[in-house]
Amino acid sequence: MERIQFEVEPSIDEREKEDETQVPDESGSDETTVPDYQLARDRERRVIRPPNRLGYADLICYALNAAEEVQDSEPKNFREASESIYSKDWLEAMNEEMLSLEKNQTWKLVPLPKNKRVVGSKWVFKRKEGIPGVEAPRYKARLVAKGFTQVEGIDYNEIFSPVVKHCSIRVLMAIVNMYDLELEQMDVKTAFLHGELEETIYMQQPEGFVEDNSKVCLLKKSLYGLKQSPRQWYRRFDDFLLKTGFVRSNYDSCVYMMKRNEKVILYLLLYVDDILMASSDKHEIQKLKEKLNGEFEMKDLGNAKRILGMDILRDRSKGELFLSQHDYLKKVVERFRMTDSKVVNTPLGHHSKLSIKQCPQSEDERKEMESTPYASGVGSIMYGMVCSRPDLSYAISVVSRFMANPGQVHWQALKWVLRYLNGSLKGGLKYTRTDPGRDALEGYVDADYAGNIDTRKSLSGFVFTLFGTAVTWKANQQSVVALSTTQAEYIALVEGVKEAIWLKGMIGEMGISQGCVKIHCDSQSAIHLANHQVYHERTKHIDIRLHFVRDMIETKEIMVQKIASEENPADMFTKSLPRAKFKHCLDLINFVEE
């Protein structure tokens, strides 16, 4: 993490070279080995280190990156591809990519004007696993620009581009199963090539396909690798859908709905170039496919079988939809050589008490742990937790605290998580049809007072179910030190209420009528504090911003109810539980092991 995201402290050899540099003395003497020394440029720089506590969004991004490492290795450059035993397949993929670029009129060859910068280019190769029963594994080659050489303000300005939230995908799965909707999938071929560039960018010709050494490519369309490409593609696709008659969600910018007579007739979710479509009328989906094919080069994948590494298994006769990551998690277990390990029944041992004091204290201990793939293991498992495995949330929230300097005890705890995974590879979320009269959305919150034995910060956890199955969950450390159990539970309740407001708005736009959202909490004192605006000496230290919960209760948006701790599934997001209690919590959110 330090080498990727942050400036690294110079090595001993580099520091010795810096010490040899002579700086002009104050007397003005010019006897120096560095006559052009400038204080602003050549002064010693402060070493920037990563923060001790990463935010939740940062951890999700890290999980996505770590998940990529689990896949099979591919050629790193053009030379490796041409020398590979599959060179014929890679060459065919490169020719296909070049044809797409020419057809899309991505660039034109021009002489390089004076004083103009040139962005490099390179080939990136990927072997796609395909979708069982839909498409066979295939070889793909992408020509990408070396965007890291771009200069802000010259080569690009705005770069942010949204993608659909994993929670939104699970919400759609619950709706599709509940109302027996058609669910189909499409893929945009060379999606980024459809974006229109607003800046003038020159790029080197692709390796192996150079036509004229004296010329460069003047880009007319966005290209993979450019910093602004995802944004330009999203803007192009967003404009097209809005003109077609879709409405964009106010809660997730990549969720679109087409309405007729105030009723949603078609859903569309976009994750870069992956598209999910759902409707009760298959004819509506077909019409949308024809419009998309007329505007972009598309690939029809038929009934949705896999999205973002999650397998979608439907049994429409039984009214069930099963979401799992069996294939991905199996690769994770195999990669860390835990396939023959002894299986355990909980993600983290009930006896585990991890502390920063267990981190390496000497240089020998640190060197011993350098060869341990701790951070990679945490990130690989974390991707499973983000997508379809709420049972891993607490364990990941604990082991991820020590990624900067893990010790042997922490590594043993991570292997315990892998042993649990090895025995629950078939686990996943089962969405079932429920009584229409039942409240669609329900939430559960819990806290573990002073759960971090180092900082004495408490842990918050919540899980929300839609039609009885989990759609969103979270387990994280609270940002402040709670001074009582009541305050810890109250802070956890605040996090749950914020999530409930967002979820209620989201499903409301998607056509699900939801009245007052029930949030279950096992702390009577926190419920009393939320429901009654009574000033008390023992609660005056609680930040006033946390009391917005009372406003939500007054407006009937939220209802906080007491629940027995034994029936609260959020309990597994804040502490390690015995097997029986842990299994009961999984049953309450419809997580099953098929």
Side-chain angles (χ1 to χ4, degrees), residues 441-445 462-465 500 517-521 568:
L441 183 65
E442 286 188 276
Y444 303 85
V445 300
F462 65 71
V463 58
F464 281 82
T465 61
V517 180
K518 292 181 181 177
I519 297 181
H520 303 278
C521 176
N568 187 2

Side-chain angles (χ1 to χ4, degrees), residues 93-111:
M94 285 187 280
N95 286 325
E96 183 181 344
E97 173 73 357
M98 290 299 294
L99 288 175
S100 297
L101 295 170
E102 292 174 8
K103 180 180 178 181
N104 200 48
Q105 298 180 342
T106 308
W107 66 65
K108 65 178 181 180
L109 293 178
V110 298

Side-chain angles (χ1 to χ4, degrees), residues 365-388:
E365 290 178 346
R366 291 190 184 92
K367 287 182 178 180
E368 184 182 350
M369 291 301 297
E370 280 181 358
S371 60
T372 303
Y374 186 86
S376 178
V378 172
S380 301
I381 302 171
M382 191 184 295
Y383 184 66
M385 180 272 293
V386 169
C387 294
S388 64

Side-chain angles (χ1 to χ4, degrees), residues 239-399:
D239 290 341
F240 172 75
L241 284 187
L242 296 182
K243 290 177 183 177
T244 308
F246 278 87
V247 177
R248 188 196 314 117
S249 170
N250 293 315
Y251 296 87
D252 190 333
S253 299
C254 290
V255 174
Y256 297 87
M257 294 147 289
M258 182 178 285
K259 297 185 178 182
R260 186 176 298 157
N261 299 325
E262 300 300 320
K263 185 178 179 181
V264 179
I265 62 169
L266 188 60
Y267 300 96
L268 186 145
L269 272 59
L270 175 70
Y271 191 98
V272 189
D273 58 353
D274 289 322
I275 298 173
L276 278 177
M277 296 169 288
S279 176
S280 59
D281 187 352
K282 197 160 188 173
H283 182 62
E284 293 290 345
I285 295 180
Q286 192 59 41
K287 287 197 299 184
L288 175 60
K289 287 182 177 180
E290 292 173 0
K291 291 179 181 178
L292 289 171
N293 279 316
E295 185 73 12
F296 311 105
E297 191 175 357
M298 307 290 297
K299 179 182 292 185
D300 190 351
L301 301 178
N303 292 330
K305 298 291 182 64
R306 177 181 295 167
I307 181 73
L308 303 182
M310 295 181 286
D311 293 321
I312 304 170
L313 306 174
R314 290 189 73 182
D315 188 336
R316 300 182 71 171
S317 61
K318 295 182 179 179
E320 294 178 351
L321 186 150
F322 188 65
L323 206 61
S324 79
Q325 289 175 278
H326 173 271
D327 293 342
Y328 168 74
L329 294 175
K330 184 178 180 181
K331 286 183 179 180
V332 172
V333 173
E334 290 174 351
R335 181 188 175 202
F336 291 95
R337 302 176 183 178
M338 298 293 287
T339 50
D340 297 326
S341 62
K342 183 179 179 181
V343 173
V344 292
N345 294 323
T346 57
L348 205 60
H350 192 48
H351 58 281
S352 296
K353 299 294 180 183
L354 302 184
S355 167
I356 198 171
K357 296 178 181 178
Q358 298 160 339
C359 293
Q361 303 297 321
S362 66
E363 194 61 33
D364 291 338
E365 290 178 346
R366 291 190 184 92
K367 287 182 178 180
E368 184 182 350
M369 291 301 297
E370 280 181 358
S371 60
T372 303
Y374 186 86
S376 178
V378 172
S380 301
I381 302 171
M382 191 184 295
Y383 184 66
M385 180 272 293
V386 169
C387 294
S388 64
R389 297 295 298 261
D391 55 326
L392 302 173
S393 296
Y394 172 72
I396 290 298
S397 72
V398 173
V399 297

Side-chain angles (χ1 to χ4, degrees), residues 23 49 384 555:
V23 180
R49 298 187 181 278
T555 57

Side-chain angles (χ1 to χ4, degrees), residues 43-318:
R43 64 183 174 85
E44 185 178 351
R45 303 289 179 179
R46 179 172 65 88
V47 177
I48 301 174
R49 298 187 181 278
N52 292 328
R53 184 180 63 84
L54 296 175
Y56 189 72
D58 298 320
L59 291 177
I60 291 179
C61 291
Y62 175 71
L64 296 175
N65 290 331
E68 288 293 323
E69 298 179 5
V70 177
Q71 309 303 324
D72 296 334
S73 60
E74 292 92 8
K76 299 295 187 298
N77 50 49
F78 177 83
R79 182 181 59 81
E80 288 188 14
S82 59
E83 296 175 356
S84 167
I85 59 174
Y86 303 107
S87 58
K88 183 179 179 181
D89 297 309
W90 293 124
L91 182 60
E92 185 179 339
M94 285 187 280
N95 286 325
E96 183 181 344
E97 173 73 357
M98 290 299 294
L99 288 175
S100 297
L101 295 170
E102 292 174 8
K103 180 180 178 181
N104 200 48
Q105 298 180 342
T106 308
W107 66 65
K108 65 178 181 180
L109 293 178
V110 298
L112 179 65
K114 289 185 178 181
N115 301 321
K116 290 294 184 181
R117 302 178 67 259
V118 179
V119 175
S121 65
K122 67 169 293 184
W123 287 102
V124 175
F125 304 95
K126 187 73 176 176
R127 184 180 184 275
K128 305 287 284 188
E129 292 296 331
I131 301 175
V134 179
E135 62 175 354
R138 66 187 193 278
Y139 296 83
K140 293 185 67 175
R142 279 280 182 265
L143 179 67
V144 302
K146 295 182 178 179
F148 59 86
T149 63
Q150 290 181 268
V151 178
E152 185 176 3
I154 298 177
D155 300 319
Y156 68 93
N157 291 295
E158 297 291 333
I159 62 174
F160 173 74
S161 177
V163 293
V164 70
K165 295 177 174 63
H166 288 80
C167 172
S168 301
I169 296 175
R170 293 188 292 264
V171 167
L172 181 67
M173 295 297 127
I175 294 174
V176 164
N177 184 73
M178 182 67 185
Y179 300 107
D180 196 24
L181 305 182
E182 302 289 340
L183 181 65
E184 300 203 11
Q185 189 174 8
M186 293 190 82
D187 182 75
V188 187
K189 293 183 179 179
T190 59
F192 286 2
L193 306 186
H194 296 287
E196 301 288 343
L197 278 180
E198 299 173 353
E199 300 84 9
T200 301
I201 298 178
Y202 297 94
M203 186 189 75
Q204 292 176 349
Q205 294 186 57
E207 187 178 4
F209 295 85
V210 178
E211 297 182 18
D212 188 343
N213 288 322
S214 63
K215 294 184 178 181
V216 294
C217 303
L218 172 60
L219 296 183
K220 299 166 65 178
K221 301 286 183 69
S222 63
L223 192 69
Y224 288 87
L226 293 177
K227 291 182 180 294
Q228 64 267 55
S229 291
R231 178 179 177 84
Q232 298 304 114
W233 154 244
Y234 171 75
R235 290 178 62 181
R236 171 79 188 280
F237 191 82
D238 180 71
D239 290 341
F240 172 75
L241 284 187
L242 296 182
K243 290 177 183 177
T244 308
F246 278 87
V247 177
R248 188 196 314 117
S249 170
N250 293 315
Y251 296 87
D252 190 333
S253 299
C254 290
V255 174
Y256 297 87
M257 294 147 289
M258 182 178 285
K259 297 185 178 182
R260 186 176 298 157
N261 299 325
E262 300 300 320
K263 185 178 179 181
V264 179
I265 62 169
L266 188 60
Y267 300 96
L268 186 145
L269 272 59
L270 175 70
Y271 191 98
V272 189
D273 58 353
D274 289 322
I275 298 173
L276 278 177
M277 296 169 288
S279 176
S280 59
D281 187 352
K282 197 160 188 173
H283 182 62
E284 293 290 345
I285 295 180
Q286 192 59 41
K287 287 197 299 184
L288 175 60
K289 287 182 177 180
E290 292 173 0
K291 291 179 181 178
L292 289 171
N293 279 316
E295 185 73 12
F296 311 105
E297 191 175 357
M298 307 290 297
K299 179 182 292 185
D300 190 351
L301 301 178
N303 292 330
K305 298 291 182 64
R306 177 181 295 167
I307 181 73
L308 303 182
M310 295 181 286
D311 293 321
I312 304 170
L313 306 174
R314 290 189 73 182
D315 188 336
R316 300 182 71 171
S317 61
K318 295 182 179 179

Side-chain angles (χ1 to χ4, degrees), residues 476-489:
N476 70 330
Q477 186 173 261
Q478 295 178 2
S479 58
V480 297
V481 177
L483 302 182
S484 65
T485 303
T486 299
Q487 185 181 359
E489 296 279 357

